[in-house]
Amino acid sequence: MRVLSLCLLVLAATTVDAQSPVPPPAAAIDDLPGFGRPVPVDAVRARRQTAMSRLGGGVLLVPAATIMDAGSVVIQDNDFRQDDSFFYLTGLETEGAWLLVSARADGGIDETLFLPRRVPSQEVWTGKRLGPGERAAELTGIADVRELHGDSLTAAVLSALRNAGGALHLVARGAIADRPERTRWEAAWPDVRDATAALAGMRVVKDDVELAAMRRSIVITTEAQRAAMRAIRPDMAEYEIEAVIEYTFRRHGADRVAFPSIVGSGPNSTTLHYDVNRRTMRAGDLVVMDIGAEYAQYAADVTRTVPVSGVFTPRQRAVYELVLATQQAAIDAVRPGITRADLSRIARRYMAEHSAGVCPGDDCTRYFIHGLTHWLGMRVHDVGGRVPLVPGMVFTIEPGIYIPEEEIGIRIEDDILVTPEGAEVLSSGAPRSVEDIEALMRSGRNGQENGGG
Ligand code: GLY
């Protein structure tokens, strides 16, 4: 019987093959006329005309989109991303949940997790959701897990406030911002305060679990930098390198990009947040790759600038070496107690003192047009404020020199962990020196899997 079934399967496959020849390849994508850009004027004018006649006259007012803050709106993925404060305090990626924590007189805390009711008919589409029960308690360490229904949350909040006294603390930004419940609680309890600063003060110093996630997001990102360096060739489009980078992110389990990938070549290397990534790279160009994977809600942010032809010109090399040495001067100065503003002064002083013959006017700081550092964590520009460094903080150091008239834009950015002794460069897996970059690019051209760096 089994043999017969197999024979029938083979026969069926043969028959299908015979009836369905392999389809011919589609036209080569690059041969399609005009790439669809720019859209021809006549076509869009005709659309406006048709729209007005369909509307039957009157006035049509259509605003363009405004720029989005990629740090707070994940524009690349439409999948769910948890609120940072909720994730920080629960580690849960469940939607629509609430955490309620109240202080007890004995110094302990009472904690309740509210989870939305599970709806089997929706789970056909969404997959199983976490509902109240032992699993939720296991995942969060919160024993009191309740189902959200009716006024259950408001009743619990008001009861907790009556028992604990004091203020109701809400994180003013983030998931609560648009919640109608907030107004009701503010009306019922006069002392409502913003917990943002308190949580930011905690989040700026990473614990071991956070550091483990960050190490992973950063290594994924340095792997992507290496893959990109091996792949770059003259006449490739910037988006091809973006694809290599983001393929590497996902291949190693990143959840999403932490911000839109910047792959800016030639003139685009001097635009700080260029992320159109549409230009064809030419031999002799520099290309800035400012990229970051997000893993387990934690961002990386690593920038490398490399020559498209695989070898820096003497002029590019001179500017590159100054950016690199400036970065190293700042990294060498990292230690507990110093501030990020101090590091910025050290870097700018170093660059100014070593600018002779490198930049027009012998002052490269005129071409260093952005800040030196930002905090890194659950957001690429994470919370933290202007506090002195202590061990466990993670931030970027990213000097740059941008000379548009020469189409030279160079930025080098690494992710730095403050240690009791100084700094650990978490992103050291991505080559930084001219020699290491050129060796890795050469190995890509020679077909070697792992060269250089
Ligand atoms: N590296 C991207 C950013 O700082 O926004």
Side-chain angles (χ1 to χ4, degrees), residues 259 262 273 290-291 301-303 374 380-381 398 411 413:
F259 55 91
I262 294 166
H273 277 182
D290 182 345
I291 59 169
D301 186 3
V302 182
T303 306
H374 58 78
V380 63
H381 294 178
E398 50 173 318
R411 178 162 66 255
E413 177 176 31

Side-chain angles (χ1 to χ4, degrees), residues 120-170:
S121 60
Q122 280 177 8
E123 289 184 355
V124 172
W125 299 92
T126 62
K128 285 202 169 128
R129 296 299 199 218
L130 186 70
E134 276 176 25
R135 183 79 187 125
E138 258 170 45
L139 286 171
T140 58
I142 298 172
D144 185 4
V145 186
R146 303 184 199 170
E147 188 177 281
L148 272 173
H149 58 82
D151 274 345
S152 64
L153 177 63
T154 292
V157 169
L158 295 178
S159 158
L161 282 167
R162 281 192 290 271
N163 288 336
L168 172 59
H169 300 279
L170 302 173

Side-chain angles (χ1 to χ4, degrees), residues 3 8 31 71 104 113 118 133-134 170 177 191 210 227 236 239 257 264 274 303 384-385 389 398 401 403 413 434 442:
V3 172
L8 285 174
D31 293 342
R104 285 199 310 254
L113 178 68
R118 288 181 58 192
E134 276 176 25
L170 302 173
D191 188 1
E210 295 183 283
M236 284 176 85
Y239 51 72
V257 291
Y274 168 85
T303 306
L389 300 184
E398 50 173 318
I401 293 178
I403 312 174
E413 177 176 31
V434 165
R442 205 164 39 245

